[in-house]
Amino acid sequence: MELALTATLLALLPTALQQSTPLPANLSVTRAWARSLDSECGRPHVSGRILSGQDATLGEWPWQVSLREEGQHVCGGTLIAEAWVLTAAHCFDQKQLLSAYSVLLGSISSYPQAEEPQELREVAEVIIHPEYLPETSSADIALVQLASPVTYSDLILPVCLPKPGDPLDHGTWCWVTGWGNIDLSIPLPPPFTLKELSLPLIDAPTCDGYYHENSDTPIQEPIILEDMLCAGFESGQKDACGGDSGGPLVCDVGGVWVQAGVVSWGSACGLPKRPGVYINVSTYATWIASTIPGLDLHTENSSPRLAGLFFPPVLLVLGLLGDTFAPLRLA
Ligand SMILES: *[C@@H]1O[C@H](CO)[C@@H](O)[C@H](O)[C@H]1NC(C)=O
Ligand SMILES: *[C@@H]1O[C@H](CO)[C@@H](O)[C@H](O)[C@H]1NC(C)=O
């Protein structure tokens, strides 16, 4: 994330993790799950945004996770259920073993000190969207199953997924969060505090128009595809950057945080008419719901399970992926 402001060092409060109340055993799993998600997703217990482009506050974005490869932060991600994380497909390297990956949760720093709150989980499974195309970044979305579920607390809570009718359209102001570079090739310095930035949404056609300016790509050949959206400014400057990939763009919908986008790519960072490009989560809400057993899309009238209506997704487990896999790319 490119931020003009000098980082303010946050006093990292050693917050006692609150255990969430166990669900009553007499509720059916699906119902209990829907309930817990409905009441808990998208509602941090802490709030404190003041200006765009600044350090986040502990507990402010409790769904933000860090995806690690060999212990190094490589991408952001979001907790969407007790054992599931949403991130970008391009975060994974097909040559890597599944055991190389882990997920850090409940931390405001991507490299927390031993005494700071944090949870680390191994990865049980990585599900890359079956239509992911590295060449165009279409369907650059992936689900990660944690080896064991987390317990929700003040610092670990799920984000809500969009439901049809959520007002996540052009001009809506949202927030992107991440531990990415603070400039094209300048990594986030210690103490690696999560950054937050407020940006307006830009629809795919408008963004596609920007990207065709000063570009060799013919106008009839889309650059920003239908499953993408952009966020940022025509003038550039404030943007997501390398290392923010896979992380969230979240919007306040009636007091609940809903994830509109997954950070996917950009042309460098912060250039004019080159806003950050995100996968539009709405496009894949059904895929996510049908892939994660028991996940409810935070809809008001969500009685019939959508999952049964869809073919089971093709599960591409890491290591079995084809050979058309992109290297990790910036943003
Ligand atoms: C579940 O158990 C609680 C407490 O024992 C009880 O109050 C509630 O009515 C029960 N609910 C159902 C659906 O049986
Ligand atoms: C994201 O996709 C949904 C559903 O396809 C669409 O209604 C919405 O306008 C898109 N968002 C943006 C900002 O383009």
Side-chain angles (χ1 to χ4, degrees), residues 161-233:
L161 295 174
K163 58 181 198 280
D166 275 347
L168 301 174
D169 285 315
H170 192 88
T172 306
W173 281 77
C174 302
W175 290 81
V176 60
T177 49
W179 287 286
N181 292 353
I182 54 171
D183 206 338
L184 190 52
S185 50
I186 306 175
L188 184 67
F192 313 105
T193 306
L194 184 69
K195 298 285 179 191
E196 60 182 24
L197 181 61
S198 180
L199 298 165
L201 295 185
I202 304 171
D203 61 68
T206 307
C207 192
D208 192 56
Y210 291 160
Y211 266 82
H212 275 95
E213 285 188 35
N214 300 316
S215 145
D216 295 334
T217 311
I219 190 73
Q220 60 275 16
E221 194 180 306
I223 301 172
I224 309 304
L225 306 180
E226 280 176 7
D227 67 345
M228 299 173 187
L229 55 78
C230 299
F233 305 93

Side-chain angles (χ1 to χ4, degrees), residues 71-144:
Q72 300 294 307
H73 168 84
V74 287
C75 271
T78 47
L79 188 71
I80 57 170
E82 278 128 326
W84 290 90
V85 162
L86 178 64
T87 186
H90 79 259
C91 293
F92 298 94
D93 176 353
Q94 63 147 346
K95 294 177 201 79
Q96 254 324 347
L97 295 172
L98 196 56
S99 60
Y101 292 98
S102 58
V103 173
L104 175 71
L105 308 100
S107 175
I108 196 169
S109 170
S110 50
Y111 293 96
Q113 301 292 310
E115 71 279 7
E116 287 170 354
Q118 59 196 284
E119 295 264 347
L120 195 66
R121 287 289 185 281
E122 289 179 351
V123 168
E125 184 182 23
V126 173
I127 304 171
I128 304 281
H129 194 283
E131 283 151 31
Y132 170 54
L133 271 185
E135 302 78 43
T136 62
S137 293
S138 67
D140 183 12
I141 195 164
L143 290 166
V144 176

